[in-house]
Amino acid sequence: MAPNAHLVEWQTFQIIKYLFDDDDDNIALRKIDAGLEVDSPPGSEDGHFDPVIIGEKLRSVADSFNDDVRFKAAVKDLKQAAAQEAIEVAFSHGVDAIIQSQVCEKAEVALEVQLIKASVAFGLYVWKSSPELKNKVQSAMNAFLNRRVGPWVTQQGGWDQVSI
């Protein structure tokens, strides 16, 4: 059964929750438990979704963006916007700037995959460089992914079907 928008939103939240977990013991336990059944929302019959596996793939991609000049400029803009409570807009602008950079200019990669990779890289970098923004960045990333790629992820059959 293909996932609906509600299920993809739940999956997105679980992936972001894993990515922003700063408790090393909890991360290690989740990696160990990666083969076990994951709690899913009522009505979900998907036994293949694993936020740990997807999160680890995204985390490795995110690390490759850290030295990009446009990436660092977007982080600076996001920090300023956070002080002004305009973080969701700044997050979206930051990801769009990264997409336009040389790092993401790969025609063979779907725009949605580029958006996913850039948003995760951007969000994790901001969080690591400004831990006080964790909750704001986590919320902005969740909103961004659900708004910009949620329908596409649903069409693909859910996060576990997206090739990262």
Side-chain angles (χ1 to χ4, degrees), residues 19 42-43 48 73 102 104 114 118 125 135 139 141 161-162:
L19 286 170
H48 303 291
Q102 299 268 340
C104 287
Q114 291 181 35
Y125 187 87
N135 292 336
S139 176
M141 183 190 294
Q161 299 300 312
V162 173

Side-chain angles (χ1 to χ4, degrees), residues 15 19 54-62 116 120 159 164:
I15 293 166
L19 286 170
I54 296 167
E56 283 301 310
K57 288 178 186 177
L58 289 170
R59 190 183 307 276
S60 68
V61 169
I116 292 167
V120 170
W159 278 98
I164 300 170

Side-chain angles (χ1 to χ4, degrees), residues 90-158:
F91 189 89
S92 184
H93 288 299
V95 172
D96 289 338
I98 294 165
I99 290 296
Q100 294 172 6
S101 75
Q102 299 268 340
V103 176
C104 287
E105 289 180 354
K106 298 180 179 168
E108 70 276 4
V109 179
L111 175 61
E112 293 84 1
V113 172
Q114 291 181 35
L115 286 169
I116 292 167
K117 290 178 178 182
S119 65
V120 170
F122 188 54
L124 291 178
Y125 187 87
V126 171
W127 168 50
K128 288 177 183 175
S129 65
S130 299
E132 72 279 5
L133 297 177
K134 176 184 175 181
N135 292 336
K136 290 180 179 185
V137 172
Q138 193 172 0
S139 176
M141 183 190 294
N142 193 46
F144 176 86
L145 287 171
N146 282 320
R147 185 179 65 254
R148 296 282 294 269
V149 299
W152 180 81
V153 171
T154 301
Q155 288 176 343
Q156 303 307 303

Side-chain angles (χ1 to χ4, degrees), residues 54-89:
I54 296 167
E56 283 301 310
K57 288 178 186 177
L58 289 170
R59 190 183 307 276
S60 68
V61 169
D63 291 341
S64 68
F65 285 90
N66 292 345
D67 293 326
D68 186 85
V69 175
R70 290 186 192 182
F71 188 83
K72 290 181 179 182
V75 169
K76 181 181 174 190
D77 292 344
L78 182 73
K79 288 179 183 179
Q80 290 173 344
Q84 300 167 356
E85 298 296 326
I87 196 160
E88 279 191 35
V89 172

